[in-house]
Amino acid sequence: MSDTTITSETQTAHGVTLTGAAATKVKNLLEQEGRDDLRLRVAVQPGGCSGLIYQLYFDERYLDGDETVEFDGVEVIVDNMSVPYLDGASIDFKDTISEQGFTIDNPNAAGSCACGDSFH
């Protein structure tokens, strides 16, 4: 029972979730790189046509103020400046005939541009 409590508290550390499909893709990419010391960093930075742009990349560092949660063996890190913009966001991976790549469903985005990479 204590594992469930710890998991619940941990998963709310930064409010970002990673779907099973996204976790599997991240693990596959890390295996291809031959690295087990990297984690997935999700961040928001000023830029793009709507004001803020998502950044999704592998990082080997921990920075002051980072919040971290593990999903199916994949560690997801969000810096404390990005947490308010990403709280409740879900990262998925799609691999269909018309679309391939990571997607971010963010309930905090009031609007986004046509490319889907930036929001406000």
Side-chain angles (χ1 to χ4, degrees), residues 57-68:
Y57 58 96
F58 292 125
D59 198 348
E60 58 191 18
R61 304 166 298 145
Y62 285 108
L63 304 173
D64 285 342
D66 280 348
E67 299 286 345
T68 180

Side-chain angles (χ1 to χ4, degrees), residues 7-116:
T7 303
S8 296
E9 289 172 6
T10 309
Q11 288 182 344
T12 61
H14 53 53
V16 176
T17 58
L18 192 66
T19 67
T24 298
K25 183 61 177 180
V26 169
K27 284 194 277 191
N28 289 342
L29 291 170
L30 290 173
E31 285 175 13
Q32 289 174 8
E33 292 291 319
R35 305 274 307 259
D36 61 0
D37 62 331
L38 298 176
R39 46 212 61 79
L40 184 65
R41 182 174 290 279
V42 185
V44 171
Q45 294 203 336
C49 49
S50 292
L52 296 170
I53 191 163
Y54 296 112
Q55 290 195 324
L56 195 67
Y57 58 96
F58 292 125
D59 198 348
E60 58 191 18
R61 304 166 298 145
Y62 285 108
L63 304 173
D64 285 342
D66 280 348
E67 299 286 345
T68 180
V69 178
E70 188 174 310
F71 297 93
D72 196 21
V74 174
E75 195 172 359
V76 177
I77 296 177
V78 179
D79 65 87
N80 61 356
M81 298 289 281
S82 298
V83 168
Y85 299 103
L86 294 170
D87 187 30
S90 176
I91 302 169
D92 194 10
F93 183 78
K94 298 189 180 195
D95 191 4
T96 66
I97 195 162
S98 61
E99 184 178 23
Q100 182 180 35
F102 289 96
T103 60
I104 300 176
D105 180 19
N106 186 354
N108 301 304
S112 63
C113 62
C115 68

